[in-house]
């Protein structure tokens, strides 16, 4: 039995998945934590640093173009490997280019390149997720996912902790980014070495098959709105705690970039890997709901470590303990959360639905930055980390509401269909779509007028307010209908 469990580790796909996982994880820190550290050392203000977290928009909206990467193939290397090679070569060029800039003099050009890096990185994630789904058999997917996550985490260790260390002590920030650009050739090698997966599922032939059907399938399920909100909120406390962690440790506590790279990035990622493994072991004994609830509570409690660090004197042992415990619990939560995403995917549309769900899970990481920066400037670090604990509670509350739906899905490997309030659900969807269009227009104007904040000021304000209001009304309406459907089913 042990031999059967470890069989996947002896196959060629193992090395391919490890290297492709590495290439997938490398760009993320280069537009988030590592770039944040570079700007912090360069002396930029907290509001600007927090605003730069918005460059990760592509990780939230990647579901918008994921059906196109399912529908169309490039004229080389096949449907999956062709797209992977294109995204990897683009990342090599862009990461090298951003290393040629200076945050104090080329801020907006750096922001534009960071947005493009995030776009191609998110696109690489889409294709890599689809490649894993296609190339692994059902019994291999658990171990295959572990291998790819290991590669992903190792890459974050390299582009996070190691990058901070060598930038601070040895070669500087520019040369560090050039080195990271060279490391992306690992992904190119893995793509050329890999075999194009042979899939029995036909390529989508129409836009309806590629886009509409996966959405119709998901929103035709019972409690779909509550589940989507759960995905956004489950790790929200974790997202707030980590949004300015590098800046907190450097500016709030007083550690230098090298110490932060060694402890926060290196020890933190090591603890996350341990947490993922522990979470996977415990989940063999727990139901999905109980694992999510237990690990979610531990995630919330672990943020107390940062509060202790904020109210006590500078001590590297205290920092190490707080970071290790928080990342350990976060890793356990990640194991259960990834299992939740996999459970919610219909295998007929797994690529598009996984892109949609994983994009929603990135909302917290992308959008909390500006709010976190504003909160710290007005209320300071200790109260901020108490606030992160409070922000973990709504996700746990939603999890309790969705218990029946999750347990049914896990037990039956199918989804409860929606039976009530069909017309009202359609109205909620229309409201959200209208709000999303207005918010998309606001984002375009925001970046278009970045150099002149006053340009289109009133139009941007109206688009933001009205778009946000319509989305909020639609989401609240959908969640309320889900809750009423649960009550009606319970009454029956």
């Amino acid at each position: 039995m042990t031999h059967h469990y470890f069989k996947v580790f002896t196959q060629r796909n193992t090395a391919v998945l490890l290297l492709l996982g590495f290439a997938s994880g490398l760009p993320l820190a280069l537009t988030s934590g590592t770039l944040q550290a570079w700007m912090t050392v360069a002396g930029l203000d907290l509001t600007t640093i927090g605003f730069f977290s918005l460059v990760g928009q592509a990780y939230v909206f990647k579901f918008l173009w994921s059906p196109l990467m399912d529908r169309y193939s490039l004229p080389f290397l096949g449907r999956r490997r062709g797209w992977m090679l294109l995204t990897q070569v683009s990342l090599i060029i862009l990461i090298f280019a951003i290393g040629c800039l200076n945050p104090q003099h080329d801020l907006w050009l750096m922001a534009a390149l960071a947005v493009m890096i995030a776009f191609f990185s998110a696109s690489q994630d889409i294709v890599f997720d689809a490649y894993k789904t296609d190339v692994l058999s059902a019994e291999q997917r658990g171990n295959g996912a572990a291998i790819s996550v290991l590669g992903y985490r190792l890459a974050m260790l390299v582009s996070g902790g190691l990058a901070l260390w060598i930038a601070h002590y040895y070669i500087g920030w520019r040369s560090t980014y050039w080195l990271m650009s060279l490391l992306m050739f690992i992904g190119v090698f893995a793509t050329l070495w890999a075999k194009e997966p042979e899939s029995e599922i036909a390529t989508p032939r129409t836009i309806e098959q590629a886009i509409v059907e996966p959405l119709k399938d998901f929103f035709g399920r019972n409690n779909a709105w509550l589940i989507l909100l759960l995905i956004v909120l489950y790790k929200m406390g974790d997202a707030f705690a980590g949004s300015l962690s590098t800046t907190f440790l450097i500016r709030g506590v007083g550690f230098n970039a090298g110490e932060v790279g060694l402890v926060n990035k290196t020890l933190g990622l090591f603890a996350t890997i341990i947490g993922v493994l522990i979470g996977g072991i415990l989940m063999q004994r727990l139901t999905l709901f109980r694992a999510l609830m237990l690990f979610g509570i531990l995630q919330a409690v672990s943020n107390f470590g940062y509060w202790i660090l904020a109210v006590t004197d500078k001590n590297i042992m205290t920092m190490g303990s707080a970071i290790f415990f928080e990342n350990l619990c976060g890793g356990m939560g990640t194991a259960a959360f990834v299992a939740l995403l996999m459970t919610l995917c219909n295998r007929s549309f797994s690529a598009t639905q996984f892109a949609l769900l994983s994009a929603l899970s990135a909302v917290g990481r992308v959008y909390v930055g500006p709010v976190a920066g504003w909160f710290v400037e007005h209320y300071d670090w200790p109260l901020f980390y108490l606030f992160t604990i409070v922000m973990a509670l709504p996700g746990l509350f939603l999890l309790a509401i969705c218990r029946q739906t999750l347990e049914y899905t896990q037990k039956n490997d199918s989804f409860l269909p929606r039976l009530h309030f069909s017309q009202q659900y359609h109205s909620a969807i229309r409201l959200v779509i209208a709000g999303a269009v207005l918010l998309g227009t606001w984002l375009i104007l925001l970046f278009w007028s970045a150099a002149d904040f006053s340009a289109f000021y009133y139009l941007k304000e109206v688009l933001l307010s009205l778009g946000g209001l319509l989305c909020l009304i639609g989401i609240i309406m959908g969640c309320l209908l889900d809750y009423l459907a649960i009550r009606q089913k319970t009454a029956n």
Side-chain angles (χ1 to χ4, degrees), residues 249-489:
L249 295 172
I250 294 175
R251 188 174 298 178
V253 185
F255 295 103
N256 62 47
E259 291 170 329
V260 173
L262 179 64
V263 179
N264 185 37
K265 301 302 181 181
T266 306
L267 180 64
L269 283 174
F270 178 69
T272 300
I273 292 172
I274 295 176
V276 169
L277 295 175
I278 293 175
I281 293 172
L282 292 178
M283 287 182 65
Q284 297 179 27
R285 300 177 176 272
L286 299 171
T287 65
L288 179 59
F289 167 78
R290 291 182 177 179
L292 286 166
M293 182 62 73
L294 175 61
F295 301 160
I297 293 172
L298 288 175
Q299 281 181 161
V301 172
S302 67
N303 289 349
F304 270 117
Y306 285 113
W307 177 81
I308 294 172
L309 194 57
V311 298
T312 57
D313 293 333
K314 174 184 173 183
N315 186 301
I316 197 165
M317 294 299 295
T318 304
M319 177 176 73
S321 300
I323 288 171
F324 186 87
F325 183 58
E326 191 272 334
N327 283 275
L328 180 73
C329 296
M332 295 167 69
T334 298
F337 190 69
V338 171
L340 171 65
L341 297 186
M342 294 175 66
T343 301
L344 294 174
C345 286
N346 185 327
R347 294 182 180 179
S348 299
F349 320 108
S350 57
T352 299
Q353 288 184 346
F354 197 95
L356 170 64
L357 297 176
S358 60
L360 284 173
S361 70
V363 167
R365 186 182 72 244
V366 172
Y367 285 110
V368 301
V371 178
W374 174 88
F375 195 102
V376 171
E377 286 193 333
H378 286 78
Y379 299 103
D380 213 356
W381 296 106
L383 191 59
F384 169 71
Y385 281 109
L386 291 178
F387 172 72
T388 66
I389 299 170
V390 175
M391 288 305 300
L393 300 180
L396 298 177
F397 176 71
L398 274 173
L399 178 62
I401 294 178
C402 297
R403 177 175 185 172
Q404 183 181 15
T405 300
L406 293 178
E407 290 182 340
Y408 177 90
T409 301
Q410 184 183 25
K411 182 178 179 181
N412 298 282
D413 197 25
S414 60
F415 310 101
L416 283 168
R418 175 173 291 139
L419 301 175
H420 308 288
F421 311 118
S422 175
Q423 188 59 43
Q424 291 84 346
Y425 275 116
H426 288 156
S427 299
I429 291 174
R430 293 189 190 101
L431 286 171
V432 172
I433 291 174
V437 170
L438 293 178
L439 289 176
T441 307
W442 168 75
L443 276 174
I444 293 172
L445 288 178
L446 182 66
F447 284 104
W448 182 267
S449 60
D452 183 7
F453 182 77
S454 61
F456 307 107
Y457 178 80
Y458 293 106
L459 178 58
K460 287 187 291 187
E461 188 172 305
V462 170
L463 289 172
L464 176 61
S465 301
L466 185 57
L469 181 62
L470 289 177
C471 284
L472 184 61
I473 293 174
I475 292 170
I476 292 175
M477 183 177 176
C479 292
L480 180 60
L481 291 171
D482 276 350
Y483 180 72
L484 293 175
I486 292 175
R487 292 290 300 270
Q488 188 161 335
K489 187 177 185 303

